[in-house]
Amino acid sequence: QVQLVESGGGLVQPGGSLTLSCAASGNVFSINGMAWYRQGPGKERELVAEIAKTGSTNYAESVKGRFTISRDNTKSAVYLQMNSLKPEDTAVYYCTVDTLVYSPVPEAARYWGQGTRVTVSS
């Protein structure tokens, strides 16, 4: 099992920046992919960015060029650097990790953090 705790959210003005952090604990050796999702007011949850264990990344079109996802495997952490923030970026941001274990039986799972709120407003 893996536990995730997000931090770094807050209030920022349009055009500002924030960095979100997510620390994983538990069976961190089983972690493969890591990602950030968000859910804005009245909106569905959406994928923001994801990063593989190798470092390969994918981003939602709406955040390309503005957000950067990174990970530190030695710290079992994933980060989201957010620049040029817009009001539409306002949301609760969640980090996720995908795990895969082979013993005692093959099992894959996705774990979610509790979320950290980002508000972009003047």
Side-chain angles (χ1 to χ4, degrees):
Q1 295 185 330
V2 174
Q3 297 79 45
L4 302 173
V5 179
E6 302 101 330
S7 63
L11 175 65
V12 64
Q13 294 185 338
S17 299
L18 281 176
T19 299
L20 306 182
S21 300
C22 177
S25 61
N27 188 16
V28 297
F29 299 104
S30 66
I31 295 175
N32 287 322
M34 308 181 83
W36 288 94
Y37 287 77
R38 69 184 181 187
Q39 186 167 21
K43 299 180 180 179
E44 294 294 317
R45 184 177 60 200
E46 64 175 344
L47 175 67
V48 178
E50 58 185 352
I51 184 168
K53 197 171 185 178
T54 60
S56 298
T57 60
N58 290 294
Y59 296 91
E61 289 295 328
S62 61
V63 306
K64 282 185 177 179
R66 300 190 298 121
F67 290 10
T68 302
I69 188 171
S70 61
R71 64 190 289 171
D72 185 339
N73 293 330
T74 64
K75 298 180 179 179
S76 301
V78 61
Y79 309 94
L80 186 67
Q81 175 66 52
M82 305 184 294
N83 299 322
S84 302
L85 284 162
K86 305 174 181 179
E88 48 263 47
D89 295 318
T90 295
V92 176
Y93 286 72
Y94 301 88
C95 68
T96 70
V97 301
D98 294 334
T99 64
L100 178 62
V101 298
Y102 295 95
S103 181
V105 296
E107 182 179 2
R110 172 166 290 175
Y111 295 88
W112 293 80
Q114 292 298 308
T116 184
R117 186 176 298 275
V118 173
T119 302
V120 184
S121 176
S122 60

